[in-house]
Amino acid sequence: MDYKDLRNRKKTRWGLPANELCFETTRHTYFFHMGKGLPTIRGDGVYQKALDFGIERLNCGEWLHFFAEGKVNMTREFIRFKWGVGRAIMECNKAPIVLPFWHQGMENILPNRAPYIPRIGKKITIVFGEPIDLKEILEGMKKHNLNPVAIRKKITDIIEEEMKPLKIQAEALHDSLLLK
């Protein structure tokens, strides 16, 4: 990606970072707003303003990046995804294409514990899965009059299942790169 593209806000994604981590100081607030971060309040459930705005962005054909676990994963365990992912997809006017990816090693660049000083020269591994088109699945569930809770749970479960092998691949690849 060219540097000028990074400065073009039309080409960058929206994100849903945690309010209590990313918007606690004026400097952090400015930084995350410039990165198109929408302050998400953990524990407020699937119906909150940040997600409402994120759905509006999806309906405009823009990219919304989810942190589907709903928190910083301090371990390497797989954490159940939050249903806000399913709600966003369910409520879009047109089913978005989901591009699943798993990254490994970010904690080595920006530690999860103080001091939060970025480190250079560390390796990150990113594994991308195949795009997921949920249009037919969504249409089928709506045709069978499934309730919104069942739909968003099913959509979230489908994405979660697609992510599990990516996690395994990313960890194995990352660990092998560290040995080199």
Side-chain angles (χ1 to χ4, degrees):
M1 179 179 255
D2 193 90
Y3 180 72
K4 68 180 178 190
D5 291 330
L6 291 173
R7 295 181 309 192
N8 185 340
R9 289 179 54 86
K10 291 181 181 179
K11 291 185 177 185
T12 57
R13 59 61 174 154
W14 291 91
L16 296 164
N19 184 61
E20 75 276 8
L21 294 177
C22 301
F23 299 92
E24 61 185 6
T25 68
T26 302
R27 191 173 65 182
H28 287 160
T29 299
Y30 177 77
F31 177 81
F32 284 98
H33 275 305
M34 291 304 295
K36 295 169 70 170
L38 305 171
T40 307
I41 301 169
R42 293 187 204 177
D44 269 13
V46 298
Y47 294 102
Q48 54 179 291
K49 290 178 183 177
L51 189 53
D52 293 343
F53 187 78
I55 293 168
E56 288 177 27
R57 298 297 88 218
L58 285 171
N59 282 330
C60 291
E62 296 182 42
W63 173 18
L64 181 62
H65 177 181
F66 277 92
F67 301 92
E69 297 164 317
K71 66 180 186 176
V72 176
N73 189 343
M74 303 290 276
T75 67
R76 288 177 92 165
E77 68 185 90
F78 195 89
I79 300 173
R80 178 187 66 83
F81 287 2
K82 301 298 182 186
W83 290 358
V85 175
R87 177 195 164 211
I89 293 166
M90 174 186 76
E91 291 187 12
C92 278
N93 297 333
K94 179 182 173 190
I97 299 296
V98 175
L99 180 59
F101 67 94
W102 193 274
H103 58 76
Q104 195 67 41
M106 291 296 292
E107 70 282 359
N108 298 320
I109 291 176
L110 185 60
N112 291 327
R113 291 177 173 61
Y116 303 106
I117 300 169
R119 299 175 185 158
I120 59 172
K122 302 294 181 180
K123 294 182 180 180
I124 301 172
T125 303
I126 305 171
V127 176
F128 289 87
E130 292 297 317
I132 305 169
D133 187 348
L134 296 162
K135 181 182 177 184
E136 290 179 14
I137 293 169
L138 271 169
E139 288 173 353
M141 288 189 287
K142 289 177 180 178
K143 191 166 137 182
H144 288 94
N145 293 320
L146 289 180
N147 69 58
V149 173
I151 294 173
R152 70 179 183 240
K153 181 183 182 322
K154 179 66 175 172
I155 293 300
T156 304
D157 289 348
I158 290 168
I159 295 168
E160 189 175 291
E161 288 305 310
E162 291 289 326
M163 293 293 289
K164 287 178 180 176
L166 296 180
K167 176 186 184 300
I168 293 167
Q169 286 178 317
E171 288 175 343
L173 182 58
H174 188 73
D175 290 345
S176 73
L177 291 173
L178 292 178
L179 296 175
K180 291 182 178 183

